[in-house]
Amino acid sequence: MFQILNENGEVVNKDDLPDLSDDELKELMKRMVYTRILDQRSIALNRQGRLGFYAPTAGQEASQLGSQFALEQDDFILPGYRDVPQLIWQGLPLYQAFLFSKGHFHGNQYPDEVRALSPQIIIGAQYVQTAGVALGLKKRGKKNVAITYTGDGGTSQGDFYEGINNAGAYKAPAIFVVQNNRFAISVPVEKQTNAKTLAQKAVAAGIEGIQVDGMDVLAVYAATKFARDRAVAGEGPTLIETLTYRFGPHTMSGDDPTRYRTEDMDKEWEKKDPLVRFRKYLEGKKLWSEEDENKVIEEAKEDIKQAIKQAEQQPKQKVTDLIDNMFEELPTHLQEQKEIYQAKESK
Amino acid sequence: MAQMTMIQAITDAMRVELKNDENVLVFGEDVGQNGGVFRATEGLQDEFGEDRVFDTPLAESGIGGLAIGLALEGFRPVPEIQFFGFVYEVMDSISGQMARLRYRSGGHYHAPITVRAPFGGGVHTPELHADSLEGLIAQQPGVKVVIPSTPYEAKGLLISAIRDNDPVVFLEHMKLYRSFRGEVPEDAYTVEIGKADVKREGSDVTLLAYGAMVHSSLKAAEELEKDGISAEVIDLRTVSPVDYETILASVKKTNRVVFVQEAQRQAGIAGQVISEIQERAILHLEAPILRVTAPDTVYAFSDAEEVWLPDHKDIVERVNEVIHF
């Protein structure tokens, strides 16, 4: 397993320590704290019925944000349903992320500078699509990558394999991230496969595979940067397995992790909390204080308050809006149906 | 004007569009140097290069994903599924993904993808090559389904499909690939998607058909004429969305309808079209609308195709039932 920081925030691998400025290191910490607060608030807002579908992210900050931090603005992200934080840090306005959760199409109308698809619900589909985006980037001669994420369970899908294999066959600039949080809802990773690592699945595609400590933001960043550099140099795709953990339930839709996880297991992983070790690392370098952290927490809470307000002010969706989004030019039957709903909506 | 078979017309349409738009990409299993298992892409890689016309690994779902990803990068993908029976492997990419891309992104992205695939019986193919599965895709909002029956229409419709900025599934009946030649203009031209064509005018009964069944219907119409029955034959050409304007105009004239499809009775699109006609024109009907279809079994073992596939005799029989209702 590739690691740079241990649980105590000590550098155990100086050779691979990424070249990040003090400001960049602080920015990484800020993002992780912010995202932890976002997770806590999203869970609360979900319980209050002010958000809809929500897949908790606490525990995965290093895996999600360390990898996103290695990207350029013009790289293309194909996220899974748990990968909303990467989109936010790539520039998706928070209120739109909330609209995605609530089930409103405007949540998916991304600004042009956010080159990403909305979170993919069909596990594996983002992998075959990533091979296509990456091939497109290669054909256009762009120095960019397509990056995608799935979980440990997702590695059992056919599309997972087809995606990495296609990208390999075309030597396409793709980064495939497997966030192994040990559980696919209630099914432990041991029931997905007899393979000892998920990173070794790269061998089947003949591509590079790296297993990284997914609770170590510097290791995740360094691995993704390595994969990105290889990809834009024309050396093809990389599969990165991040060993991580979700502290919360699978989703807020009724999953109860106490049915399949022990308290001991949770405690053991909480010791590996990516925020704890990176905080220690930065404090050791005198780059982070309680004051810094509290400032981020307040900023996050305020942003979230404004964003949920903005999301709630979004005009309600009408059937005619949904019809208009179907085709460039509406076929006759949809024109007819639009007229029927226009009449209803004008009553 | 040149005399072309349908497969030549299809190749020609791709050639015209590869030349016309540098974003057009043609890919699939064996479509490159081999020129396709039916020679549909013959010569295209030599002419346009491997960057534009290329082979893929043997994985239909992966091909669908490639098409979507390439579309997101601004390309106009024309992927091929070797036989439409293999669509089950790529149902998610077609129905679950590309058909929904414009809608799910609120119009921010779209999928100008044309999925080409051969299908259709009568040529003794092995299992899961000939199945008529257009009904599956026709039920999915967001994707159009086009099925040409002549060389002229195949070229014009395929050019329209490729230029369409939303996904189109373009189904090519294997029996029609080389069974006859027709006049095909050499330059680019389009045939509008979503428009049916009256292939033969008549006054006593309307025959609605698509694919190979258009030709069976025309043959039936000739036989019926000998008995003094005048059949109007409408080729739907697009099975989603269906051109009800043309259909209803005919129904209001003939007052009798027989729907002809090669698919099984519980499949295809007959049920949907008949339902629309009865909602919109029941007072114009002198008889119930009857169907000519294959039986509701799995597609026939190849040696049984002759007794299983619907033919012009079945059509004549059904027309006589509605005429003498």
Side-chain angles (χ1 to χ4, degrees):
Chain A
M1 180 183 73
F2 178 68
Q3 191 186 44
I4 290 173
L5 288 183
N6 67 14
E7 287 172 30
N8 300 318
E10 296 154 357
V11 176
V12 294
N13 174 359
K14 276 201 175 65
D15 293 346
D16 291 311
L17 194 65
D19 183 23
L20 289 168
S21 68
D22 288 354
D23 282 348
E24 284 171 322
L25 292 170
K26 280 157 76 177
E27 176 66 18
L28 253 182
M29 184 64 193
K30 179 198 144 168
R31 291 181 180 196
M32 290 208 291
V33 172
Y34 191 112
T35 304
R36 179 67 57 86
I37 297 302
L38 178 61
D39 184 67
Q40 289 168 1
R41 292 299 303 139
S42 297
I43 288 169
L45 288 164
N46 168 282
R47 290 201 171 118
Q48 293 162 21
R50 294 176 77 188
L51 283 181
F53 174 76
Y54 182 68
T57 60
Q60 297 190 200
E61 291 86 353
S63 170
Q64 295 181 320
L65 308 183
S67 55
Q68 187 275 332
F69 204 67
L71 302 180
E72 300 289 332
Q73 189 63 51
D74 284 340
D75 291 342
F76 202 110
I77 305 180
L78 294 97
Y81 53 77
R82 202 181 301 282
D83 303 310
V84 175
Q86 293 95 307
L87 298 172
I88 292 168
W89 293 111
Q90 197 74 2
L92 180 68
L94 198 50
Y95 85 97
Q96 286 190 279
F98 287 160
L99 284 171
F100 162 74
S101 166
K102 287 161 70 71
H104 192 299
F105 70 84
H106 180 55
N108 293 350
Q109 287 176 319
Y110 287 6
D112 286 338
E113 67 273 18
V114 180
R115 305 198 70 235
L117 277 183
S118 51
Q120 179 60 249
I121 299 298
I122 302 303
I123 295 171
Q126 69 272 36
Y127 263 55
V128 281
Q129 292 171 15
T130 295
V133 174
L135 180 59
L137 292 167
K138 183 177 177 174
K139 284 184 182 295
R140 295 284 188 216
K142 293 186 187 169
K143 292 289 173 203
N144 286 106
V145 299
I147 187 169
T148 189
Y149 298 83
T150 192
D152 38 298
T155 61
S156 303
Q157 288 278 5
D159 274 359
F160 165 82
Y161 169 71
E162 290 186 28
I164 61 173
N165 187 62
N166 276 356
Y170 293 119
K171 271 201 161 195
I175 303 174
F176 296 100
V177 182
V178 172
Q179 301 189 86
N180 178 0
N181 63 22
R182 311 212 53 80
F183 286 91
I185 308 189
S186 66
V187 179
V189 65
E190 293 75 18
K191 293 201 169 150
Q192 296 294 341
T193 176
N194 196 43
K196 293 292 171 250
T197 73
L198 299 179
Q200 76 192 63
K201 295 201 170 203
V203 172
I207 66 172
E208 192 84 15
I210 309 170
Q211 189 190 50
V212 50
D213 182 347
M215 306 302 258
D216 171 2
V217 73
L218 294 182
V220 176
Y221 172 83
T224 314
K225 182 81 170 42
F226 168 79
R228 193 183 182 283
D229 289 346
R230 286 189 72 232
V232 296
E235 290 166 37
T238 304
L239 181 70
I240 300 173
E241 175 191 8
T242 64
L243 292 172
T244 183
Y245 200 70
R246 63 169 153 84
F247 296 148
H250 163 66
T251 67
M252 294 305 292
S253 314
D255 176 43
D256 172 12
T258 63
R259 292 170 75 108
Y260 54 86
R261 272 193 334 220
T262 63
E263 219 172 295
D264 284 352
M265 195 175 187
D266 283 346
K267 275 192 189 139
E268 188 198 317
W269 278 91
E270 275 160 19
K271 276 191 256 164
K272 300 180 196 229
D273 189 328
L275 273 65
V276 171
R277 80 173 73 172
F278 198 50
R279 189 185 290 123
K280 282 181 184 162
Y281 174 68
L282 291 187
E283 282 169 353
K285 290 172 74 87
K286 304 237 180 300
L287 289 175
W288 197 253
S289 66
E290 206 182 324
E291 197 190 337
D292 290 328
E293 182 135 342
N294 286 334
K295 214 178 108 193
V296 176
I297 293 170
E298 287 317 306
E299 188 194 329
K301 284 182 177 168
E302 184 56 30
D303 286 357
I304 292 163
K305 209 158 70 180
Q306 294 304 326
I308 192 77
K309 209 185 282 174
Q310 194 179 350
E312 285 168 348
Q313 282 164 357
Q314 186 66 28
K316 290 230 175 304
Q317 299 167 102
K318 302 192 299 286
V319 175
T320 48
D321 299 327
L322 306 182
I323 289 175
D324 281 339
N325 287 338
M326 285 300 302
F327 292 101
E328 182 176 50
E329 273 178 63
L330 287 186
T332 315
H333 69 287
L334 277 177
Q335 277 166 18
E336 288 171 9
Q337 292 170 28
K338 187 177 170 182
E339 281 163 28
I340 292 166
Y341 282 95
Q342 253 165 351
K344 276 192 189 188
E345 288 162 7
S346 63
K347 269 182 197 160
Chain B
M1 287 279 203
Q3 286 284 320
M4 288 187 195
T5 60
M6 192 164 97
I7 194 101
Q8 288 168 333
I10 286 166
T11 311
D12 201 42
M14 282 187 274
R15 181 180 294 115
V16 163
E17 287 309 283
L18 279 161
K19 207 177 284 178
N20 169 57
D21 181 349
E22 59 179 21
N23 289 316
V24 172
L25 300 176
V26 170
F27 53 96
E29 296 156 8
D30 311 289
V31 306
Q33 207 46 50
N34 191 46
V37 292
F38 289 104
R39 304 287 168 259
T41 52
E42 175 124 292
L44 296 181
Q45 191 180 69
D46 283 343
E47 191 174 344
F48 297 97
E50 213 182 327
D51 199 41
R52 306 281 308 282
V53 180
F54 53 95
D55 289 324
T56 65
L58 202 171
E60 286 75 21
S61 187
I63 292 171
L66 284 174
I68 294 164
L70 287 163
L72 288 167
E73 261 306 307
F75 287 98
R76 198 169 278 281
V78 186
E80 177 183 295
I81 301 300
Q82 203 159 64
F83 294 94
F84 204 54
F86 311 163
V87 72
Y88 295 116
E89 298 286 340
V90 65
M91 274 301 280
D92 178 55
S93 280
I94 296 175
S95 293
Q97 306 290 330
M98 63 179 80
R100 304 169 64 102
L101 188 60
R102 185 185 288 278
Y103 174 92
R104 76 186 287 260
S105 66
H108 185 63
Y109 294 116
H110 64 279
I113 299 170
T114 302
V115 179
R116 289 181 44 249
F119 80 109
V123 290
H124 297 282
T125 51
E127 195 171 15
L128 264 169
H129 283 55
D131 294 55
S132 288
L133 303 173
E134 66 281 3
L136 295 177
I137 311 296
Q139 286 206 15
Q140 173 58 48
V143 59
K144 298 167 188 173
V145 185
V146 172
I147 305 180
S149 68
T150 68
Y152 175 85
E153 286 160 324
K155 179 172 172 182
L157 283 164
L158 184 51
I159 291 174
S160 293
I162 293 171
R163 294 181 183 179
D164 199 294
N165 284 327
D166 290 297
V168 176
V169 169
F170 191 87
L171 298 176
E172 303 163 3
H173 199 291
M174 283 183 273
K175 202 179 173 187
L176 303 182
Y177 267 158
R178 293 186 174 88
S179 55
F180 61 99
R181 285 172 188 274
E183 291 273 309
V184 176
E186 271 158 47
D187 294 334
Y189 62 92
T190 57
V191 171
E192 195 182 341
I193 291 174
K195 283 276 175 284
D197 182 49
V198 180
K199 284 275 187 290
R200 179 194 165 110
E201 292 205 14
S203 52
D204 298 328
V205 61
T206 299
L207 294 178
L208 300 176
Y210 57 93
M213 289 300 113
V214 171
H215 301 280
S216 303
S217 297
L218 288 168
K219 195 168 173 191
E222 272 173 41
E223 297 224 341
L224 288 161
E225 195 177 61
K226 291 178 202 155
D227 297 331
I229 298 168
S230 164
E232 179 146 297
V233 177
I234 295 181
D235 179 357
L236 297 185
R237 302 199 295 197
T238 302
V239 301
S240 176
V242 170
D243 175 6
Y244 288 107
E245 200 184 329
T246 301
I247 292 174
L248 291 170
S250 179
V251 171
K252 287 172 186 172
K253 179 172 73 172
T254 64
N255 313 114
R256 288 178 167 83
V257 184
V258 171
F259 195 104
V260 188
Q261 69 180 21
E262 184 174 316
Q264 295 89 337
R265 193 175 167 88
Q266 69 186 43
I269 61 151
Q272 168 67 11
V273 174
I274 291 167
S275 187
E276 289 283 344
I277 297 170
Q278 71 84 17
E279 275 193 42
R280 291 159 190 259
I282 196 158
L283 295 177
H284 295 274
L285 292 172
E286 296 285 351
I289 302 171
L290 298 185
R291 281 177 278 179
V292 174
T293 72
D296 284 326
T297 70
V298 167
Y299 189 90
F301 288 100
S302 60
D303 220 22
E305 274 185 327
E306 240 169 77
V307 293
W308 189 86
L309 284 168
D311 65 10
H312 68 281
K313 284 176 274 181
D314 300 313
I315 301 168
V316 168
E317 213 174 289
R318 286 314 233 178
V319 167
N320 275 307
E321 281 180 58
V322 298
I323 293 287
H324 301 111
F325 176 75

